[in-house]
């Protein structure tokens, strides 16, 4: 499922969920000129007990796409959902 302006709230996703809103905004951005020379894949795994919420980001010469697919990526960020929410809202710093 690609995330877009018309993405549904399938699988219990809540429109107010900060992680969902972050990745939806990233997908809507579409192209980032500062990444025009970059190509790569990232997967974000947010854990909540036994449940893992996955977001897959592809950058292709600045073109950004986001999906919920569980694919191999060049880099994986794995953290619990509570910290993920803090990261995407600016309440926590991933570099600290």
């Amino acid at each position: 499922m690609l995330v877009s302006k018309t993405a549904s709230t399938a699988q219990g996703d809540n429109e107010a969920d900060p992680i969902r809103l972050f990745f939806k905004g990233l997908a809507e951005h579409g192209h980032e000129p500062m990444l025009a020379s970059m190509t790569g894949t990232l997967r974000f795994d947010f854990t909540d007990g036994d449940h893992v919420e996955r977001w897959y980001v592809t950058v292709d010469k600045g073109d950004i796409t986001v999906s919920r697919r569980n694919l191999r990526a060049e880099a994986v960020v794995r953290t619990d959902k509570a910290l993920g929410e803090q990261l995407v809202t600016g309440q926590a710093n991933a570099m600290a």
Side-chain angles (χ1 to χ4, degrees):
M1 165 176 106
L2 288 179
V3 178
S4 69
K5 291 180 185 179
T6 58
S8 70
T9 58
Q11 299 176 352
D13 288 334
N14 182 338
E15 285 295 330
D17 175 33
I19 292 173
R20 179 178 176 75
L21 291 174
F22 173 82
F23 285 104
K24 182 179 178 185
L26 187 62
E28 289 174 350
H29 188 73
H31 182 80
E32 175 52 56
M34 290 179 56
L35 299 177
S37 64
M38 303 291 179
T39 299
T41 56
L42 300 151
R43 193 181 75 226
F44 295 84
D45 293 351
F46 300 104
T47 61
D48 186 7
D50 291 335
H51 176 73
V52 179
E53 179 180 332
R54 291 186 173 90
W55 294 88
Y56 188 79
V57 178
T58 302
V59 178
D60 184 12
K61 298 179 183 169
D63 293 333
I64 300 170
T65 57
V66 177
S67 76
R68 300 295 304 273
R69 297 172 65 188
N70 182 18
L71 299 173
R72 292 186 122 190
E74 294 168 304
V76 177
V77 176
R78 184 177 179 92
T79 188
D80 64 83
K81 185 169 176 136
L83 178 58
E85 289 174 352
Q86 292 174 350
L87 291 169
V88 301
T89 58
Q91 297 173 3
N93 183 342
M95 301 305 287

